[in-house]
Amino acid sequence: MSEHNNGNGTLRSEEWFGPKDLEGFLHRAGLKSQGFSESEFQGKPVIGIANSWSELTHCNAHLRELAQHVKRGVAAAGGFPLEFPTISLGEFFISPTSMLLRNLMSMDVEEMIRAAPLDGVVLLSGCDKTTPAMMMGAVSADVPAIVVTGGPQLKGNWRGQDLGSCTDCRRYWVELRAGRITQDEYDSMEEAIYRSPGHCMVMGTASSMGGIAETIGLSLPGGGTIPGADSRRKTHSEEAGRAIVDLVNKGIKPSDVVTPESIDNAIRFLLAVGGSTNAIIHLTAIAGRAGIELPLSHFDELSRTTPMILNLKPSGEYLMEDLYYAGGVEAILSRISPLLNLDEMTVTGKTLGENIADATVHNDRVIRTIENPLFKEGGIVALSGSLAPDGAVIKHTAASPELLTHTGRAVVFEDYEDLHARIDSDDLDVTINDVLVLKNTGPIGGPGMPESGMLPLPKKLLQQGHRDMVRISDARMSGTAFGTVVLHVTPESAIGGPLGLVENGDMILLDTPNRRLDLLVDDAELERRRAVWKAPAAKYNRGYGQMYSQHVLQADGGCDFDFLRGKTPVKLRV
Ligand code: FES
């Protein structure tokens, strides 16, 4: 079949299950062979449940259970649910980095929605890459869709103190390397920090993307913050099952929801919560799928007028469980509502303004007011300059204020292996005033732009009591990480960006207030270096990796594939 629309106003799935011919026979027989009677599916909206459950993705390991609650809601509303698996990308186990496969997962989601007899889809996600990949695929397919994440984990607790994953794993790893805690103490945190279903419970990438899904209008209210272990996550899943049937009946598609205005709302949310730098890349890719250009400079424009009001780790003190009890994403949005486009349609069938009309903040320490923010500006700012002609980012709210304007001598590592081999050597020529530079960790050089951007401090500096210094790379950084870390330097070093020309001893200027990142080397010297620069050897000569390397865009294009931008129209009803 080419066009899954029979042209008389019936459901898309009717094209499969309606015709009294051989194809219709086979489609109906395929369901009957699973024990579904014809009355259970015939004439009803068919709702796909795209499930990224996997035991290789611990954050999504409870999604099979949530799928049962979605099914209950779909059936109660008069729909017919069909669950199917997608690729699942977990941050802990996927090598070299889950980001290498995000676009592959988005293609899986898009093509399954398009190829299958689905009138609508509920997207079950959670871990960092799974939510953006689901959103990218659904926007491209443009069939009615609702995102249901598995929600955040409960707070970790170790010896009476709250622990946030993985901000505090990183913080204590530094203390272990500095000799301030023992290996046994560090080991004992393993079961204390990850103690419940769900994704990392600081304002990292998964939490940022869950909140963005809700703000942009692709999740029901509550979707961003209800903990994975809370019974209300199950109720929320059931409500999503009911809501998707309603969306199909109303014909509300992702293209009605994802607009330049709703993207701006999502950016405002990200900035107001001090969210993950990774979300910039994912939002740019999602916007690109909807045909919306989103230059890095636009994030910076909005950052200057968006106060950061959320007091969550890694930039603040609290955790996602606290945010849920304080009122959740809706409460944050109500606080920044003067900055939002409130008329945007959402998957409730109502506008964002209607969704948050009754939202209340229950804890002003967690969600501050616009008048009393944690920071006057948004949590992330964009930089540019001779070291990053197409941009770079810094999460200045998680940096050391005294380092935000800094000039230092470059200490260069050619790639991650070089860093690993030399960072702790006694003869490394480095002081706390230097700038650590890591090359070849971008989208192509990484490959996959790994989260290597939070370079470890040299052990000898840690042992002197230091905990932060300026670090610069073309890599990403986990949304749970922190420090004075400049990321996403574009163009990346592996394709000849200026980062690839930096040598030990060069002076580098970071001027965050003026949004500058400059390599203080004269043009003639840079030209001399460029003339002898050699690109690193290709990482792949076949398969997905080769396709990835040939088509991946730089960070300012969301690291999407060039051929995936825009969407293929799918008719629903006429
Ligand atoms: Fe899955 Fe952090 S490891 S969200």
Side-chain angles (χ1 to χ4, degrees), residues 57-59 90-92 126-128 153 165-166 194 198-200 206 480:
T57 307
H58 69 277
C59 304
E91 292 303 296
F92 285 7
C127 198
D128 286 7
Q153 297 157 7
S165 60
C166 204
Y194 298 103
H199 59 70
C200 291
T480 64

Side-chain angles (χ1 to χ4, degrees), residues 334-350:
S334 72
R335 282 271 157 95
I336 60 168
S337 61
L339 303 173
L340 299 175
N341 304 298
L342 296 173
D343 294 333
E344 291 306 291
M345 179 52 61
T346 75
V347 292
T348 61
K350 298 178 185 167

Side-chain angles (χ1 to χ4, degrees), residues 135 145-147 211-220 247 252 257-258 262 265-266 344-350 352 355:
M135 291 170 73
I146 295 181
V147 173
I212 281 172
E214 193 176 331
T215 306
I216 217 168
L218 285 174
S219 283
L220 297 180
L247 270 196
I252 297 174
V257 172
V258 180
S262 70
N265 289 342
E344 291 306 291
M345 179 52 61
T346 75
V347 292
T348 61
K350 298 178 185 167
L352 182 67
N355 288 351

Side-chain angles (χ1 to χ4, degrees), residues 177 413 418-425 428 430 436 455-460:
R177 292 182 66 237
F413 299 92
D418 184 30
L419 172 79
H420 195 65
R422 293 195 294 121
I423 189 70
D424 286 339
S425 58
L428 182 70
V430 65
L436 300 184
L455 279 67
L457 259 63
K459 196 181 262 182
K460 63 183 177 188

Side-chain angles (χ1 to χ4, degrees), residues 306-320:
T306 308
M308 186 187 141
I309 61 168
L310 185 65
N311 188 9
L312 245 64
K313 290 183 180 184
S315 297
E317 299 170 78
Y318 294 96
L319 294 167
M320 287 296 284

